[in-house]
Amino acid sequence: MVSDAYPPIEAYGVVGNLETCALVGPDGSIDWFPFPHLESPSIVAAVLDAERGGRFRIAPTGSFETDRRYVDDTNVLETTFRTDGGTATLTDFLPPADRTDHPKKVLYRKLACADGGVDLAIEFEPQFDYGRAAATIDRVDGGILADGEDERTLLEFPAAADLEIRDGGDAAPSRVTGTLSLEAGEVAWFLLRCTGAEDANTDPDAALDETVQFWTGWAHDCGPEADCVFAGPWHDAIVRSELVLKLLTHAESGGIAAAPTTSLPEDIGGVRNWDYRFNWLRDAGFTVQALMNLGTADEATDYFDWFMDLCQVDDPASIQPLYGLHGDSDLEERELDHFEGYRGSSPVRIGNGAADQRQHDTFGELLLAVDEMRRHGRELDADEWDRIRAIVDYVSEIWTDPDAGIWEVRGGDRRFVFSKAMCWAALDRGLAIATDGDHDAPAEAWQATRERIRADALENGYDADLGAFVQSYGSTALDATALLLPIVGFLPFEDDRVQGTIEAIDDRLVDDGDGIFVQRYDGDDGLPGEEGAFVLCSCWLIDALALSGRLEEARARFETLLSYLNPLGLIAEELDSESGAHLGNFPQAFSHVGIVNSALYLGYARGLETPGPAPMGIRLGEPIPGDD
């Protein structure tokens, strides 16, 4: 399979219904659509195998150019095809779950010809259960029914479309192909009705109107006169990031997926391909900060309540680093050997073995989230405090143990400096929460343990010869997580060890002259191959510079980073430092969280007011030093 069969990762747009998402390529092809939920098997997955994955494509029959945009402040995607004969726009959306009067299990595709005439080709090739289910395709009343054992779809199409079912026989799967011709002013609808919505009453125009109204009514809108902390040339990018985070939030549980995709590679042709359709608890603290400052308090509260429920266990040792969006704990990692992977990147994985790892940093990040909600006025009840106290007590017992760390290395557990710092943060925030809420806690014991952790990390995690914090005890590798040490309060920004670490990371982990391609670390992680620069780490470096008083430098780097957003405002997990191509799963929630928080820190440093308490890393009453 040649790589030309796969669009660049950054060429995709995404639509969804707050339960699942679909990737839409620049050629009008839906190449990824798990159903009914993000973690579910796919109906089409051409992004993972161009021949066997399946797709739903609507595009001009001849050559064309493409323009794409989201309807303002929505997740409704418009793809405009410009041909020699005319112009037509394809509008893709799913009604948000339980937010409109229209069924959430229908994928709508509207075609509207603006001028001239456009001949379009239609190709629908469903491959249920990641292409593993035996599927039948038949013409029935109301459309074409594809039955894939556990799931099925009914393709409803306009009468003017000339569609036929092609039997692939033993060599290829069956598929639906055909054509449709539109003239100026004509509109045609294709509806992909999924399991449970085959007979649902639908009004496509009303569904589109209500979906647009939902998104525009929800999205951040500070008004032209407001003193918005996100004000600046990047304001629209922040609103798009907010819309991405909402799109990845499950309507029922409040859990937020790390990404809507699996196995998009961090290294083209390599093995660094992971399933990210789950929620990592370590994302909690900075995600809550982003959501609260965006004004989406309901989403922050739903997410908080969701992960607090996950912590309702007899033994904190059983708390996993990640869960399914319904709280599922069984995320067994398996490989789909029949898929070649995006551009030959294999294996294709479903599930994630990191769920079984020990990641001690998770507990600190959970306490950061709880403390963030406390600072925004959320009070803990007695039962919630019991859960938090049990976590802090557990951290007091295990902080000396090695773990897999935030990056989930597969080369064996180590004593990661960041894990130690986050154990410190768990004790530190636990004490703050107990004091503020007048909760019963062994304060003296926690204080003593907190200081032991700090002393241990300072003694074993800082390399005086390098003038920087290292990745793990006994190592000389650098890790971008050290940029977070002052943000979580482990040391102040003006500390020479912090400033030395920022300089060392800028020198060794940054791959470009503009200073935005930041590697996660430069040590061995037990896997072959190399990966791209990690977008979130770029944001952390920008934050560290801004909060160190290097505001103009931070701003310049931030604006350069934003130039790598795709034309729709989306960004993946990583960037190729040579080409700028996107790598890894897409769009990546934590990348967009990082962008929101970097804008937040830059706004605060510029003197703009936040809607709530000062962001993490800013000590009240002390101004951020200026560039001079």
Side-chain angles (χ1 to χ4, degrees):
M1 178 64 62
V2 295
S3 61
D4 287 346
Y6 296 91
I9 291 172
E10 64 269 22
Y12 282 100
V14 62
V15 296
N17 66 353
L18 307 181
E19 288 187 351
T20 189
C21 290
L23 290 190
V24 186
D27 60 348
S29 182
I30 294 176
D31 289 347
W32 175 248
F33 184 36
F35 183 85
H37 303 286
L38 276 185
E39 315 102 305
S40 301
S42 58
I43 292 176
V44 296
V47 73
L48 296 177
D49 194 303
E51 284 192 348
R52 293 176 288 259
R55 61 173 49 82
F56 181 13
R57 183 173 183 264
I58 301 176
T61 56
S63 61
F64 60 90
E65 295 182 351
T66 301
D67 293 323
R68 292 197 299 168
R69 64 180 290 270
Y70 282 107
V71 176
D72 290 347
D73 296 336
T74 77
N75 283 309
V76 176
L77 180 64
E78 292 182 343
T79 303
T80 298
F81 302 115
R82 304 187 188 280
T83 73
D84 290 340
T87 304
T89 295
L90 173 65
T91 301
D92 287 305
F93 69 96
L94 292 98
D98 304 323
R99 303 302 198 272
T100 74
D101 294 329
H102 303 274
K104 62 188 179 184
K105 298 180 179 181
V106 179
L107 173 62
Y108 291 83
R109 314 199 77 185
K110 175 188 177 182
L111 283 160
C113 184
D115 58 70
V118 180
D119 296 326
L120 298 135
I122 294 94
E123 180 183 4
F124 178 49
E125 183 187 317
Q127 288 292 294
F128 298 96
D129 190 20
Y130 307 111
R132 297 179 297 187
T136 60
I137 303 179
D138 297 295
R139 191 177 291 271
V140 298
D141 290 342
I144 295 176
L145 179 68
D147 194 329
E149 299 175 357
D150 292 335
E151 302 294 345
R152 58 190 179 276
T153 62
L154 177 67
L155 177 61
E156 181 180 313
F157 54 91
D162 181 18
L163 300 187
E164 63 177 324
I165 301 170
R166 294 184 178 272
D167 186 355
D170 295 333
S174 298
R175 66 189 192 278
V176 178
T177 63
T179 58
L180 172 68
S181 296
L182 292 179
E183 299 295 328
E186 291 184 329
V187 174
W189 286 89
F190 287 80
L191 276 62
L192 188 63
R193 299 172 174 270
C194 301
T195 307
E198 299 93 334
D199 300 322
N201 292 326
T202 55
D203 180 342
D205 289 300
L208 175 56
D209 289 344
E210 291 186 30
T211 299
V212 169
Q213 289 171 15
F214 166 76
W215 288 115
T216 56
W218 178 85
H220 174 79
D221 181 12
C222 56
E225 304 301 324
D227 184 22
C228 179
V229 72
F230 299 111
W234 47 72
H235 189 274
D236 288 348
I238 302 309
V239 174
R240 176 52 51 196
S241 291
E242 176 194 39
L243 286 161
V244 170
L245 295 176
K246 179 64 173 178
L247 195 62
L248 298 180
T249 301
H250 195 280
E252 180 182 343
S253 68
I256 302 174
T261 56
T262 180
S263 298
L264 294 185
E266 300 168 11
D267 177 24
I268 301 295
V271 302
R272 296 171 181 264
N273 319 308
W274 314 107
D275 193 345
Y276 276 12
R277 296 172 293 165
F278 314 113
N279 177 263
W280 272 254
L281 295 185
R282 66 158 179 259
D283 300 354
F286 292 105
T287 300
V288 166
Q289 174 173 278
L291 291 174
M292 291 301 291
N293 281 281
L294 284 165
T296 53
D298 288 345
E299 283 69 22
T301 299
D302 289 345
Y303 180 39
F304 175 82
D305 291 341
W306 178 74
F307 66 69
M308 284 296 294
D309 285 343
L310 294 176
C311 295
Q312 193 171 0
V313 295
D314 293 333
D315 182 1
S318 65
I319 296 175
Q320 298 181 178
L322 62 147
Y323 290 87
L325 300 183
H326 296 84
D328 310 62
S329 58
D330 183 6
L331 305 181
E332 178 187 359
E333 187 172 295
R334 291 166 288 164
E335 297 180 0
L336 300 179
D337 295 332
H338 61 289
F339 275 175
E340 75 158 5
Y342 177 84
R343 299 194 176 191
S345 305
S346 63
V348 172
R349 295 182 173 94
I350 55 174
N352 198 306
D356 298 326
Q357 289 185 342
R358 292 158 49 94
Q359 297 177 23
H360 295 163
D361 63 288
T362 298
F363 302 108
E365 285 131 2
L366 276 173
L367 265 294
L368 289 180
V370 176
D371 187 55
E372 186 70 11
M373 291 298 289
R374 172 191 69 85
R375 296 196 307 126
H376 280 273
R378 173 65 154 81
E379 296 182 359
L380 297 179
D381 61 32
D383 180 62
E384 290 172 330
W385 171 247
D386 286 344
R387 290 175 234 168
I388 296 303
R389 174 172 171 164
I391 289 173
V392 179
D393 283 337
Y394 176 69
V395 171
S396 298
E397 297 172 1
I398 55 86
W399 70 268
T400 58
D401 297 340
D403 71 323
I406 185 175
W407 303 130
E408 302 172 347
V409 297
R410 302 207 173 192
D413 289 355
R414 307 174 201 168
R415 288 180 170 83
F416 288 99
V417 175
F418 184 69
S419 292
K420 305 306 181 188
M422 294 310 291
C423 287
W424 175 91
L427 272 296
D428 183 73
R429 298 313 195 271
L431 284 162
I433 296 165
T435 301
D436 180 71
D438 196 24
H439 298 296
D440 182 51
E444 291 185 5
W446 285 2
Q447 289 169 354
T449 303
R450 179 184 62 177
E451 295 314 309
R452 283 198 297 273
I453 298 173
R454 186 175 182 276
D456 186 75
L458 291 176
E459 179 181 353
N460 297 293
Y462 180 77
D463 188 313
D465 293 332
L466 293 175
F469 285 95
V470 293
Q471 183 180 55
S472 59
Y473 289 8
S475 166
T476 58
L478 295 184
D479 192 311
T481 54
L483 296 166
L484 294 177
L485 298 187
I487 289 180
V488 303
F490 186 77
L491 284 176
F493 273 98
E494 62 268 23
D495 190 288
D496 288 344
R497 290 165 292 189
V498 168
Q499 292 302 312
T501 299
I502 293 172
E503 291 302 317
I505 288 172
D506 203 8
D507 179 58
R508 275 177 47 180
L509 298 187
V510 175
D511 277 356
D512 68 307
D514 290 325
I516 61 155
F517 291 129
V518 183
Q519 302 293 325
R520 292 191 292 174
Y521 44 78
D522 59 4
D524 178 63
D525 59 9
L527 292 169
E530 297 181 355
E531 62 181 22
F534 207 74
V535 173
L536 182 62
C537 296
S538 302
C539 294
W540 290 345
L541 180 54
I542 290 164
D543 301 344
L545 293 172
L547 297 180
S548 296
R550 297 160 66 177
L551 180 56
E552 290 308 313
E553 183 181 354
R555 177 179 177 137
R557 295 198 197 201
F558 186 56
E559 291 179 348
T560 301
L561 176 62
L562 293 184
S563 72
Y564 287 92
L565 294 169
N566 81 354
L568 295 170
L570 310 177
I571 198 163
E573 178 185 21
E574 299 180 2
L575 296 170
D576 184 285
S577 58
E578 295 183 359
S579 67
H582 292 210
L583 297 169
N585 286 300
F586 174 88
Q588 179 81 357
F590 224 0
S591 296
H592 284 280
V593 166
I595 286 170
V596 171
N597 283 327
S598 288
L600 175 68
Y601 285 120
L602 285 167
Y604 192 93
R606 291 160 55 209
L608 299 175
E609 293 185 5
T610 61
M616 275 186 278
I618 297 173
R619 291 178 293 170
L620 296 179
E622 296 188 15
I624 295 172
D627 284 309
D628 55 355

